[in-house]
Amino acid sequence: MGQISMATRDELVVALAGRYAASSRKERGRILDEFTALSGLHRKHAMRLLRAGQLSCRSGPRLARRVYDDAVREALIVAWEASDRLCGKRLRALLPTLVEAMERHGHLHLAPEVCAGLLAISAATIDRALHHVREPGAGRRRRAPPSAAIRRAVPVRTFADWDNPRPGFVEADLVAHSGPVTKGSYLHTLTLTDIATGWTECVPLLVREQKLLTETLDVVRRQMPFALLGFDTDNDSVFMNETVKVYCDNAGLVFTRCRPYRKNDQAWVEQKNGAVVRHAVGYRRYEGLQAAAVLAKLYAALRLFVNYFQPSFKLASKARDGAKMKRSYHPPATPYQRLLADARLGEAVRQRATAVYATLDPIHLLRTIRAAQQELVALADQPVADETTSVSTEVATPPLEQFLQGLRTAWQGGDVRPTSQAKPKAPRGRRRPDPFAAVTALLRAWFEAEPWRTSAELFERLQQEHPGTFPDRQRRTLQRRLKAWRFEMAQKLVFGATAAGDSVQPGVAATPDAVAMSGDGLVP
């Protein structure tokens, strides 16, 4: 129970003193227990107060006994400003040197008694005397984020603290699918990796929200073959909050975190972020409900393919030999094989995992993954459509036999993952309005009448006829326009105008045969 105020405590002393003196020993003990619980005082001190029946000596404002007068305080303020506003302890050590230097250069003239008082003042008195001076200039103290209290309550677990845990202790992390720009809303992937077996679960998150995170954890816990025992995360605010901590406490999960800015503490999940998530999804930007649904379909097949048919290495030991680190690994095995080999799990877990394995077709899973990847890439690479336009991203999935036949020659095309292929670049065109759109016909007529005129001459004539409309910085645009017109005129002189209106593209040189056939350069 919190302590009561000083005034309320004094009122209790007055009210209880008489009853305390007239009560029996047992009754006095009960009164004393209640009074100490309310006031927070030590039992002996409370007993003395109730026996005496007097008020606390600090019930009212204490009259300060001022040792230093206003002159000393004013001199202290000047010295504090001259020291660039040092704290009391540092200013106390500087005062003798500072006062002597200021008096030597004529910046300060103190009476002997004021100088003696200034040099005798303590660091604590300096802070008290300058309290009202510091208040106006002091900025608002930065408040700790809400996750700071949760971080203090969640224990830290480093990479060396796992000590071969049983299956069920996982590391968790979020992978952002923002593409090259983190502005706006985009999807995230929640990745969970088991330390003992390497079992990996990936789930898409539409938004970074703590309640959605706990609901997603419920889904992951139901589809994992073994019970979730521990939840180790980084210091992201989406993990370090009251909602996730209460969820872990209610579910009986050991909630731990890594050290700030130490990604090696989460080496297992960080490795899966690259080898599983980025390998399958890539680095494009994914946003919206449709992309989340496709990503969920991809992860539904990917979790089975990775955990049952993708062997991985696991570190057995490491030793330092001078500047070299020698590492030895266990033979590569799938998470499913490590799950069956772990004697700490019950037979029911093994039977459930074996029953799932018996129904899986790796080729069918791979075909589902490739189809989901193509659909995901089509969503990410589609042009921005307005509200009235609907863009279809459905991808035709080849039959299983055709997909199997394609595996024989797939290596010839390089990396077959659609998510690993670069996004096709859109043809670059004009990105700004044409400044000469209203006078293009006029400029073309001037050019055809006098093609020897330079762009500077034509631009000056244009500015004279349209004053204040075309600034000097637009001359370069007119130069590029005239260059294209001169090229067209040169092509007409060499090849002539065809009936279809075809023209030779810029950069294509005229052949000698074509020039010879045209005679003097003019087609009859």
Side-chain angles (χ1 to χ4, degrees):
M1 181 180 294
Q3 296 184 2
I4 59 178
S5 63
M6 193 78 70
T8 306
R9 186 189 308 169
D10 294 338
E11 294 176 0
L12 282 175
V13 171
V14 174
L16 296 177
R19 189 158 62 92
Y20 182 81
S23 300
S24 62
R25 180 184 180 88
K26 183 177 180 180
E27 185 68 19
R28 286 199 303 270
R30 188 181 62 82
I31 295 174
L32 192 62
D33 292 337
E34 294 178 355
F35 180 64
T36 54
L38 288 173
S39 62
L41 297 175
H42 191 272
R43 192 176 183 85
K44 284 294 184 181
H45 181 57
M47 188 184 302
R48 296 188 188 99
L49 288 179
L50 293 177
R51 283 177 179 176
Q54 60 185 4
L55 301 179
S56 174
C57 61
R58 296 187 60 183
S59 59
R62 186 179 71 175
L63 298 178
R65 183 172 58 89
R66 299 186 62 177
V67 177
Y68 304 102
D69 56 8
D70 293 336
V72 176
R73 293 173 181 270
E74 291 295 329
L76 178 62
I77 294 174
V78 174
W80 175 64
E81 290 287 359
S83 68
D84 198 14
R85 301 189 175 188
L86 294 178
C87 65
K89 292 183 178 180
R90 297 171 64 192
L91 182 59
R92 175 67 188 85
L94 178 66
L95 275 177
T97 304
L98 182 63
V99 170
E100 188 274 331
M102 294 178 69
E103 287 184 340
R104 185 174 69 251
H105 291 279
H107 303 310
L108 195 65
H109 303 282
L110 299 178
E113 59 274 11
V114 176
C115 183
L118 184 62
L119 297 179
I121 194 170
S122 66
T125 306
I126 290 175
D127 288 332
R128 286 193 299 269
L130 296 175
H131 178 71
H132 70 286
V133 181
R134 287 173 174 159
E135 284 293 331
R140 174 175 290 185
R141 185 177 180 182
R142 181 180 179 271
R143 297 182 61 184
S147 59
I150 301 298
R151 284 201 300 267
R152 290 192 293 269
V154 177
V156 174
R157 187 191 294 272
T158 67
F159 66 92
D161 294 337
W162 285 112
D163 194 21
N164 192 22
R166 63 172 299 167
F169 288 88
V170 301
E171 289 182 347
D173 195 15
L174 285 182
V175 180
H177 302 296
S178 61
V181 180
T182 59
K183 183 180 180 181
S185 178
Y186 45 86
L187 301 183
H188 290 77
T189 294
L190 174 64
T191 310
L192 286 85
T193 302
D194 181 60
I195 305 301
T197 62
W199 190 279
T200 302
E201 298 282 350
C202 299
V203 187
L205 291 180
L206 189 62
V207 291
R208 283 168 46 92
E209 201 272 328
Q210 53 199 22
K211 183 62 177 176
L212 179 61
L213 178 67
T214 56
E215 294 175 355
T216 304
L217 278 178
D218 278 333
V219 176
V220 174
R221 291 174 62 191
R222 288 194 297 268
Q223 69 184 13
M224 292 180 68
F226 45 84
L228 189 61
L229 304 177
F231 189 61
D232 184 78
T233 70
D234 56 16
N235 295 270
D236 196 333
S237 59
V238 73
F239 298 120
M240 294 294 112
N241 54 73
E242 191 70 24
T243 303
V244 177
K245 184 158 190 321
V246 171
Y247 174 84
C248 293
D249 293 341
N250 295 337
L253 304 181
V254 180
F255 188 22
T256 56
R257 64 182 178 92
C258 69
R259 295 171 293 179
Y261 308 108
R262 298 292 185 90
K263 284 187 173 294
N264 196 40
D265 286 349
Q266 287 202 307
W268 285 272
V269 71
E270 291 290 349
Q271 192 269 341
K272 298 301 180 183
N273 285 342
V276 176
V277 179
R278 292 301 186 189
H279 182 79
V281 179
Y283 293 87
R284 283 173 169 82
R285 181 182 181 91
Y286 306 114
E287 55 186 5
L289 289 172
Q290 190 176 359
V294 177
L295 198 59
K297 182 171 63 175
L298 170 63
Y299 286 149
L302 186 66
R303 65 176 295 270
L304 299 175
F305 188 76
V306 169
N307 293 321
Y308 285 92
F309 300 103
Q310 291 287 290
S312 60
F313 287 95
K314 185 177 181 181
L315 185 67
S317 62
K318 60 181 180 179
R320 180 174 293 278
D321 184 10
K324 294 183 179 180
M325 182 69 72
K326 292 185 178 180
R327 296 177 176 88
S328 60
Y329 296 87
H330 295 288
T334 64
Y336 165 70
Q337 292 171 341
R338 294 195 182 101
L339 191 66
L340 297 183
D342 199 311
R344 294 171 292 186
L345 293 176
E347 188 62 29
V349 175
R350 297 188 183 89
Q351 291 179 358
R352 185 163 57 250
T354 304
V356 173
Y357 174 74
T359 62
L360 298 180
D361 180 2
I363 304 301
H364 176 74
L365 291 176
L366 185 59
R367 184 187 64 160
T368 305
I369 292 172
R370 291 287 183 263
Q373 287 174 337
Q374 291 181 2
E375 191 172 353
L376 205 59
V377 169
L379 276 174
D381 294 349
Q382 69 180 4
V384 179
D386 55 18
E387 297 178 356
T388 61
T389 305
S390 59
V391 180
S392 177
T393 58
E394 294 184 0
V395 178
T397 305
L400 188 59
E401 295 78 7
Q402 180 181 350
F403 181 79
L404 182 59
Q405 291 293 331
L407 294 180
R408 300 177 180 177
T409 58
W411 60 272
Q412 298 176 359
D415 199 336
V416 296
R417 290 175 293 128
T419 53
S420 66
Q421 299 171 5
K423 181 179 179 180
K425 294 184 178 180
R428 181 175 177 179
R430 174 173 289 279
R431 291 172 292 179
R432 295 182 181 179
D434 186 4
F436 302 112
V439 295
T440 300
L442 179 62
L443 288 172
R444 187 63 184 247
W446 292 349
F447 170 75
E448 291 179 353
E450 299 177 332
W452 60 86
R453 296 291 183 185
T454 64
S455 59
E457 293 174 341
L458 292 180
F459 192 73
E460 290 177 1
R461 183 178 177 183
L462 185 64
Q463 287 181 326
Q464 291 175 0
E465 295 195 6
H466 299 273
T469 305
F470 301 99
D472 293 339
R473 64 176 180 271
Q474 292 180 353
R475 180 181 298 177
R476 176 58 181 160
T477 305
L478 183 58
Q479 290 176 354
R480 290 193 294 267
R481 188 73 51 85
L482 291 182
K483 182 178 180 180
W485 290 349
R486 287 195 176 95
F487 181 82
E488 292 177 5
M489 181 172 289
Q491 295 299 319
K492 288 181 181 180
L493 291 175
V494 176
F495 298 102
T498 60
D502 297 334
S503 61
V504 180
Q505 296 298 324
V508 179
T511 62
D513 295 338
V515 176
M517 291 174 61
S518 62
D520 57 354
L522 298 177
V523 178

